[in-house]
Amino acid sequence: MKSELIVDVQPTEVSIALVEDSRLVSLQKESRNISYAVGDIYLAKVKKLMPGLNAAFVNVGYEKDAFLHYLDLGSQFSSYASFLKQVLEDKKHVPSVSKMKLLPDIDKHGSVTDTLTQGQELMVQIVKEPISSKGPRLTTEITFTGRYLVLIPFCDKISISQKIKTTEEKLRLRQLIGSIKPKNFGIIVRTSAEGKRVAELNHELKTLLKCWEDAVAKAQKVAAPSLIFEEESRIVGVLRDIFSPSFESIYVNDNDIYSQIAKYVNLIAPERQEIVKLYDNDEPIFDHFNITKQIKSSFGKTVSFKSGAYIIIEHTEALHVIDVNSGNRAKAGTDQETNALDVNMRAADEIARQLRLRDMGGIIVIDFIDMNKAEHRQALYEHMKEVMANDRARHNILQLSKFGLMQITRQRVRPALDIVTTEACPSCFGKGEVQPSLLFTDILKEKIDYLLNTLNVKGFIMYVHPFVDAYIKKGLISIYTKWRMKFGRKFKIMPDQSLAYLQYRVIDKNRNEIDLKEEKDMDSSSSKTKSKAKNRDNEE
């Protein structure tokens, strides 16, 4: 299987597409100015205790108070609280975790009112981003995640990933980690550590320990609420979780991000450094690799798959609902039961892909086509478990109920990725009347003239819808050729599949977007409506 990563860097966000055999299987979007991301550590203050929920609301600086449940305090909260008290009382010295004596575990059936006090300062880590009207969810069981290891202060346990199957390798890693880890620090050994040498693991362990020490030192200098630790680069953080040495190539369209990714790959897999490639063509990177088209066909309420069958996906606050329909599918010589099984099996493949693609979490309820035979229902259940096996998010799949419903719970740490595939009219902005399409080329010509002769911008690229691009470039002496003859070869026009029909955008030679929207562009269509209404009023 050919796996590739395509990274599209835009001024406000970074999109990372995972492609297997040219088919989009995962899409992640990270805002470049996002706050309150999973893994960030804050010095925060307890704002309110809620005995009925056995939880506390904590101020981390977000508009909604963050939620901290008693069970998320961690069993070693007594040792953590004792250490943090020393840190905050003595601002000149950083105490050593390795030299302290760990206190007994707290009672897992205890009460938050006996453990926390209002106004208490805590070092907390975000485990779930703000979703809908809810604030972030927190834990005081701090972890630092690397490529091979996860570091957990105030714990002496060594855990090995269950995906490492061989007993010999588990014993080797356990002995190796036991010989290098400091006292009072727990370690989780990740799957990617399998077969790695002690030097690589020791280097990462020292890096994670440095992150912990820096976070503690910063906590002494700031006032709550304050951010005290975040990933060096969010893009590298995302890449760390999905990177695999089996990738054939990683394409990036930004020099700075390319350097970061190349440096990271060189650090963890120096023999694979050549897979990172800089994409510097004028054509949008997602268009070049056919990602844009797949996004438009894979997101939205209705998703079609083989032989005319389709699924309908609805989202609510509490759960996601998926309905499977056979559509106009018809197979000669097959009975209804066999046809239902075939459609359900193919639907399971697509649903597993959609869960990864949209990062749908929480409760998912799937209404499959009814099947009468128990062996067919069992076969569907086993098939769903098989196709979900590659999903990195924790999940649980239940057997089909008597109503033919399958229930899945899937780990949710951030809002589901919901991309709107319908296109807003860029000409009328929902007012109902548009400028004549035939005159759109005149508007583009005016904009080019304005850019070149008024703003004196040279070397820019104007992106338009592929249909418009094809129209202005058709023929031996095309409209595009005439414009280039008149204005000179100081600009380019390129197609962009992400744009709506009468939409355009312009970037300069430094890849900065130029905003050319004018009030007349947005109001021209509505002004006609207003003038008609005014004339009608005058007549009356």
Side-chain angles (χ1 to χ4, degrees), residues 72 78 119 128 154 198 241 259 264 297 312-313 316 327 355 399 412 431 478 490 524:
D72 292 322
S78 298
K128 189 180 289 186
F154 313 109
V198 63
D241 293 332
S259 299
Y264 176 73
S297 63
I312 297 174
I313 303 174
T316 72
L355 296 185
Q399 292 268 14
R412 178 170 74 166
K431 297 183 179 72
S478 62
K490 302 169 185 175
S524 56

Side-chain angles (χ1 to χ4, degrees), residues 384-404:
M384 180 58 87
K385 285 173 63 178
E386 181 184 340
V387 295
M388 288 282 289
N390 292 329
D391 195 335
R392 293 180 61 259
R394 292 196 302 271
H395 58 271
N396 187 29
I397 306 171
L398 299 185
Q399 292 268 14
L400 270 77
S401 70
K402 66 171 76 174
F403 298 119

